[in-house]
Amino acid sequence: MAMKQILSPLPGTFYRRPSPDKPLFKSDGDRVAVGEVIGLVEVMKSFHEVKADQDGKIVRFLVENEEPVMAGQPLADVDG
Amino acid sequence: MAINVIAPGLSTTVQDLGRPGYYNIGIPLSGGMDRYATRTANLLVGNPEGAAVLEAVFMGPELEFTEDAVVAVTGAELPPKVDGRPRETWTSFMVHKGQRLSFDYLKKGARAYIAVSGGIDVPVVLGSRSTYTLGALGGLEGRKLAAGDVLKRGMAASAWEGRTIPANLRRMSGSPAELRAIPGLYWHRLTEAAGKNFFADTWKVAPEADRIGYRFKGGRPLEFVPRTPPFGAGSDPSNIVDACYPYGSIQVPSGTEPIVLHRDAVSGGGYFMLGAVISADMDLIGQLQPHTPARFVEVTMEQALQARHDRQAMLHKVRDWLGAKAVS
């Protein structure tokens, strides 16, 4: 099983929930499928979904809710 | 002579050097936020400096070329790829018929300028091909690019691959970015301490910063000199009787988060402006990513004019280097 990472496509602010009163998109240890949303990046007054580009298990998130992120920054380790 | 938009990127728009002359009726300048990068991208592919290019913010588009073209990418470090193979920024390269231009993750800066030989051919509206998305004016149907769009190219003059701009003639901001500014008409509204704090504090670019205005956070709130609001001004101490907003002006609603108006600026309103960022540093603002630190540095009008002169000298060097005529 190869360890891979999900990278942020954009710089901005990372959110792990669809809205403040909703549950997390994904938690450490959850399984993800290709195309599943794992978080949002907010930039220029809009929110952009970050989707998994492979199937696997999220080993851990590397960025916390509402933390700033750079383009290309790893958001989560995924065990494919 | 067409380019197919496979993926548009985040917000990719057609821009040239803008649409001056209509700000009095509320239509802003528009055009590339980084004018130096817009001009140099064009020069690299043999276009007039004012030809229309694509401005891609934070994320590049994926484009399929139906004819051979020479391409150059300047401004942000957004690494271009042709059919997946890396190409250099600030250097012209060939894209052959059927090949795809795509981009890697953004490394530095915020906005990349993609020039193609011949320029992007969209209708000229009020003297410019620039897109003003808020007013649905110019560019491709007045909007950002979408997947499935087809961009026409103009007639190309002679263009060569492998032309490059040396590193000392590429402009990028330091960290923190230093934005030179001149205090303005409403400076007297601030207390002396607030005026000092504004220039002393390090601010951070807010994620909502865009082509209309760049918002900054994290400095100390500004205190105002007490007053009775004049007739026509709102009750907040940052309100004024409505006035014109110059391009580059720094408004601070409620004294908390400065906003520097940029190329898609609104032309007037009721917030005081503590001053304006000098024209020579407006390009740098367009290259700031969210959350990056920035400071405002107070300068005099004389220093601002010298900075403008220095910027023009740098552009002359590029023209000389590339053997280009000064055309816009």
Side-chain angles (χ1 to χ4, degrees):
Chain A
M1 287 295 196
M3 190 74 84
K4 291 196 173 166
Q5 293 180 320
I6 299 174
L7 309 180
S8 178
L10 293 165
T13 306
F14 184 60
Y15 293 93
R16 289 188 53 191
R17 305 167 188 275
S19 65
D21 56 345
K22 295 271 167 62
L24 296 171
F25 284 108
K26 289 286 172 186
S27 299
D28 291 359
D30 285 357
R31 294 207 65 81
V32 284
V34 172
E36 259 195 294
V37 177
I38 66 135
L40 302 172
V41 175
E42 181 199 12
V43 73
M44 293 201 306
K45 299 171 190 161
S46 57
F47 292 87
H48 306 272
E49 293 179 338
V50 181
K51 293 174 179 168
D53 50 7
Q54 59 183 326
D55 297 333
K57 190 176 90 170
I58 294 184
V59 176
R60 65 188 176 113
F61 274 90
L62 304 167
V63 177
E64 278 316 304
N65 194 45
E66 295 188 34
E67 261 190 61
V69 290
M70 308 286 280
Q73 182 178 336
L75 299 173
D77 282 333
V78 175
D79 201 341
Chain B
M1 297 287 274
I3 299 165
N4 299 321
V5 179
I6 307 299
L10 174 65
S11 180
T12 304
T13 53
V14 177
Q15 300 292 346
D16 57 17
L17 292 176
R19 185 177 285 117
Y22 303 94
Y23 201 42
N24 61 316
I25 53 168
I27 298 173
L29 296 160
S30 299
M33 285 183 76
D34 184 340
R35 290 168 68 79
Y36 183 75
T38 305
R39 288 175 184 276
T40 49
N42 274 320
L43 287 173
L44 282 170
V45 300
N47 289 347
E49 289 173 30
V53 302
L54 297 177
E55 178 185 88
V57 57
F58 305 138
M59 186 194 246
E62 185 173 349
L63 306 171
E64 182 188 60
F65 285 67
T66 62
E67 295 286 341
D68 290 0
V70 178
V71 172
V73 179
T74 62
E77 276 303 306
L78 186 70
K81 295 185 288 188
V82 176
D83 280 353
R85 287 189 300 276
R87 293 288 182 271
E88 298 288 319
T89 54
W90 299 92
T91 303
S92 62
F93 55 87
M94 197 75 197
V95 181
H96 290 289
K97 180 180 176 176
Q99 286 189 317
R100 285 190 181 192
L101 174 66
S102 64
F103 294 86
D104 214 329
Y105 290 108
L106 178 68
K107 298 266 190 300
K108 200 174 178 202
R111 286 174 176 79
Y113 294 82
I114 307 160
V116 296
S117 50
I120 304 294
D121 186 16
V122 292
V124 174
V125 178
L126 298 176
S128 167
R129 292 186 169 86
S130 290
T131 316
Y132 173 44
T133 53
L134 204 60
L137 193 74
L140 189 75
E141 300 170 3
R143 58 170 173 81
K144 64 184 185 181
L145 300 189
D149 283 342
V150 178
L151 297 168
K152 284 196 283 183
R153 277 172 59 210
M155 290 295 288
S158 50
W160 303 273
E161 54 187 321
R163 300 176 106 197
T164 191
I165 290 175
N168 63 331
L169 294 177
R170 305 174 188 184
R171 194 168 182 234
M172 270 288 158
S173 66
S175 185
E178 294 199 336
L179 305 174
R180 289 168 286 185
I182 304 180
L185 282 177
Y186 300 94
W187 183 255
H188 67 276
R189 289 291 304 121
L190 296 177
T191 64
E192 201 180 326
K196 284 202 175 108
N197 294 348
F198 174 75
F199 286 115
D201 287 351
T202 298
W203 300 84
K204 275 193 172 171
V205 176
E208 51 268 56
D210 61 16
R211 286 184 49 86
I212 301 161
Y214 250 63
R215 186 186 285 258
F216 294 85
K217 293 180 175 176
R220 282 168 282 186
L222 303 181
E223 286 182 354
F224 294 87
V225 175
R227 61 140 193 217
T228 305
F231 178 77
S235 55
D236 189 278
S238 65
N239 286 142
I240 55 170
V241 178
D242 279 16
C244 305
Y245 285 163
Y247 163 72
S249 62
I250 308 164
Q251 54 179 260
V252 196
S254 301
T256 54
E257 294 178 354
I259 300 168
V260 181
L261 291 182
H262 219 288
R263 297 201 66 87
D264 287 357
V266 288
S267 57
Y271 286 115
F272 97 113
M273 294 150 278
L274 60 76
V277 171
I278 69 172
S279 61
D281 287 352
M282 291 298 286
D283 286 0
L284 293 181
I285 295 180
Q287 293 297 357
L288 296 179
Q289 283 186 20
H291 308 296
T292 53
R295 285 188 57 237
F296 295 93
V297 178
E298 185 175 358
V299 293
T300 61
M301 180 61 84
E302 205 169 46
Q303 289 170 307
L305 292 173
Q306 182 59 45
R308 179 183 286 184
H309 178 81
D310 294 346
R311 295 273 295 132
Q312 282 165 351
M314 191 165 160
L315 191 57
H316 282 302
K317 274 189 196 163
V318 171
R319 288 178 186 140
D320 286 348
W321 174 263
L322 294 173
K325 281 184 292 183
V327 282
S328 60

